[in-house]
Amino acid sequence: MRDPQPHRIPVAVTNAKLAGQVQQALGDSLDVRHARSAADARDALRHRDVVAVLESGPHGKDLELDVASANGLSTTTAVTKLATAYAHGADRHLGVSDIVPLARYDARGLAGFYVSFGVTLSGFALAQNVVGLGGLLKLRHRFALLAAFAAASGLVAAAIAGPVLGAVPAPYLPLAFILALLAAAAAFTTKMLATYVGPLGIPLATLLLLTVGNSTSGATIGTNLMPSGARALSELLPPGAAVRAIADLSYFRGSHVLAPLATLVLWAAGSAVLLAFRTNARKPAPSSAPSPVPPIPSGGASS
C-alpha cells in the first residue's frame, strides 16, 4: 500500500494500430490486448478478462475508455490515469464510461473485503476456543462444532451483506457458500496449526490469515498494483480467494469463480484432513503387555 504501481494491467484495445501505440507508450504498466470488435472487448470487460477497454471515438480524434469500477477503485483509478496520460501525450481527448458500476450501497467497493474479514475473524476466534476445549471434546465433536459454525457464519454474513444491507449484490446461496468455506478454512487452519505447532500456532495463524491474508486480498489495493510476491500470496491465501469470488459473483457473472473456490476448498478440506491425521496419530496404541501371572498360594508350595 506504500507505493502501488501498475503491473501489466490487462486492457483491450479495438484498433491494432492504436494497440501498438499504447503498448509502446506505456510499456509494462499495461498488458494491451487487441480485440476484434468493440462488442468483443466489452464482453471481455464484463467477464473480468480485462479491466478496461480503449477505443477511438466516433470521429477518430477522441478516445473512449470503458472501465468496470467493480474491479476496485485503485485499479480503475490507475488505468484511467494511464489512459489519460497517453491521451494527453497524443493530444487527444479521453472520455470515460463505467459499464460495470459498484452497488449503490458500496460506493468504495469494500463491502466484499469487510464481510470476508469479519468471517475470517469469526472462524479464527472459534478455533481459538476449540483449542482451549481440546481436552473436553472428542475429535468428531470438534469437527461438528467447526463445521456448524462455519455454515452459520456463511448464512448470517451473506444475509447481512446481501439482502439486509444491499452492499454485496451476489446471489444469496452462492455467497453464503463462499463465506461458509472461508469460515471453515480459517477455523480448521487455525486449529490445525495449533495442533501441529503448539502455542505458536495461534500467532502463526494470525500472521497468515489476518495480517498477510487480508493485506494482500486485493480489495483496498488491486492485485495488479502489487509486487509479484504479494500477488502470488493473494491467489494462494483464503482471504484473497474469498474477495475475488465475491466480486465475481456480484458483478462478473461468476466468470472466474472456480479458481478461488478451489483455493477455499483446499484450505478447508486439507486442514481438516491434516488435523484428523495428527489427532489419530496421537492416540495411544492398545497395550500388548502379557497379563500378570497370578501369585502362588502360600500353602501350596513345597520347600
Side-chain angles (χ1 to χ4, degrees):
M1 296 181 186
R2 174 176 173 269
D3 185 26
Q5 296 293 332
H7 301 282
R8 299 189 62 80
I9 300 178
V11 174
V13 180
T14 57
N15 180 284
K17 181 180 179 181
L18 177 61
Q21 292 172 344
V22 171
Q23 188 71 80
Q24 183 176 5
L26 299 178
D28 288 338
S29 298
L30 295 182
D31 175 16
V32 178
R33 304 176 183 180
H34 176 234
R36 292 177 296 181
S37 67
D40 288 344
R42 291 190 181 93
D43 188 60
L45 179 59
R46 292 187 178 97
H47 285 85
R48 216 180 192 185
D49 296 321
V50 298
V51 301
V53 175
L54 184 64
E55 59 182 324
S56 298
H59 304 294
K61 176 66 176 176
D62 297 337
L63 293 173
E64 298 290 336
L65 181 70
D66 293 330
V67 298
S69 58
N71 278 308
L73 294 185
S74 61
T75 300
T76 304
T77 301
V79 75
T80 302
K81 286 182 177 180
L82 289 170
T84 301
Y86 171 78
H88 180 75
D91 193 25
R92 303 173 76 172
H93 175 266
L94 180 71
V96 180
S97 301
D98 186 0
I99 68 171
V100 189
L102 289 162
R104 176 185 176 187
Y105 297 108
D106 186 23
R108 297 187 59 80
L110 296 177
F113 165 75
Y114 282 118
V115 70
S116 296
F117 178 78
V119 167
T120 302
L121 185 60
S122 67
F124 170 80
L126 173 71
Q128 280 187 296
N129 289 309
V130 172
V131 169
L133 296 173
L136 303 176
L137 297 176
K138 294 182 179 181
L139 177 63
R140 65 176 181 271
H141 296 149
R142 280 176 273 166
F143 270 50
L145 178 60
L146 292 174
F149 183 85
S153 295
L155 291 169
V156 172
I160 293 173
V164 174
L165 297 179
V168 178
Y172 175 68
L173 288 180
L175 176 61
F177 182 61
I178 290 294
L179 293 176
L181 282 177
L182 175 61
F188 280 106
T189 299
T190 301
K191 182 67 173 73
M192 181 269 294
L193 289 174
T195 300
Y196 274 80
V197 184
L200 290 177
I202 298 299
L204 182 59
T206 304
L207 180 66
L208 185 67
L209 297 172
L210 300 179
T211 307
V212 178
N214 283 298
S215 64
T216 61
S217 64
T220 53
I221 298 296
T223 55
N224 294 113
L225 307 179
M226 295 180 183
S228 57
R231 290 199 303 273
L233 287 173
S234 179
E235 294 179 359
L236 293 174
L237 295 179
V243 168
R244 288 194 306 279
I246 291 170
D248 278 335
L249 289 171
S250 298
Y251 300 106
F252 300 101
R253 309 171 188 175
S255 300
H256 298 281
V257 76
L258 290 181
L261 178 63
T263 299
L264 292 171
V265 169
L266 286 174
W267 275 95
S271 297
V273 169
L274 290 173
L275 178 59
F277 174 79
R278 180 72 169 184
T279 304
N280 289 330
R282 283 181 170 181
K283 290 182 179 179
S287 176
S288 58
S291 301
V293 178
I296 300 175
S298 58
S302 59
S303 57

